[in-house]
Amino acid sequence: MTEDTFWLLVDEGRAAAPGPDPDHLADHLVGLLSRGPVFMITGFAERLSEALYRLDRREYGEDLSSDVFLYTRAAVVADGRAAYEEVLADPVLFAPYAEELIWAEPLLYVPDRAYKDFTGEEWQRETRYSYESYSNRGGWTGGA
């Protein structure tokens, strides 16, 4: 899946969801992805993990717990491509997500749910990038 396709799906899901509810966004994305094929589901997982990994940097999460940091990074992604790129360009824009506890945890489970719906099996998830907090060593040692 290309980066453009990933963001198109997220942005379309945001437009289709009634309000900024991450559950509705996640449900919409699962509905789209669970139609298959598998490479779309795994491609979405790869792009989601990469987007979260890129936000895994000291200037965003130094004082946040692992879970809070993960869920707020997911909220940035859930806000769509424009918001994501703005936050990457200016870390100050991440602060409202953390301070107001804006979370989008359901987004994290979209690939797993879609895979299960499509194949009937649990996905043994493995992606190139880890989205877990503090896994981007370059983001915590100076380089991103």
Side-chain angles (χ1 to χ4, degrees):
M1 172 178 293
T2 68
E3 186 174 3
D4 287 338
T5 301
F6 171 79
W7 287 114
L8 179 66
L9 288 173
V10 171
D11 289 337
E12 284 180 359
R14 286 175 34 78
D21 184 341
D23 289 311
H24 291 294
L25 171 61
D27 289 345
H28 182 79
L29 290 169
V30 169
L32 291 174
L33 292 169
S34 64
R35 297 177 197 157
V38 169
F39 76 82
M40 287 295 288
I41 300 166
T42 58
F44 183 89
E46 286 291 341
R47 291 297 177 180
L48 175 60
S49 294
E50 181 180 11
L52 294 167
Y53 182 85
R54 291 182 65 204
L55 289 170
D56 185 19
R57 297 174 10 198
R58 180 180 307 279
E59 61 265 38
Y60 298 124
E62 187 164 31
D63 297 324
L64 300 176
S65 73
S66 176
D67 286 344
V68 168
F69 188 38
L70 175 58
Y71 303 154
T72 53
R73 286 183 290 132
V76 173
V77 174
D79 271 352
R81 187 177 208 162
Y84 176 80
E85 289 176 354
E86 288 171 2
V87 168
L88 275 179
D90 185 358
V92 170
L93 297 176
F94 185 81
Y97 293 92
E99 292 167 1
E100 298 172 28
L101 297 178
I102 301 170
W103 291 3
E105 181 182 5
L107 184 63
L108 303 174
Y109 311 116
V110 165
D112 304 272
R113 290 176 53 205
Y115 188 88
K116 173 93 174 171
D117 287 354
F118 184 68
T119 67
E121 299 174 7
E122 297 292 327
W123 183 25
Q124 303 305 312
R125 177 189 273 251
E126 207 171 297
T127 55
R128 180 176 173 194
Y129 297 95
S130 171
Y131 65 61
E132 294 298 336
S133 296
Y134 323 121
S135 62
N136 180 356
R137 293 180 192 247
W140 288 86
T141 60

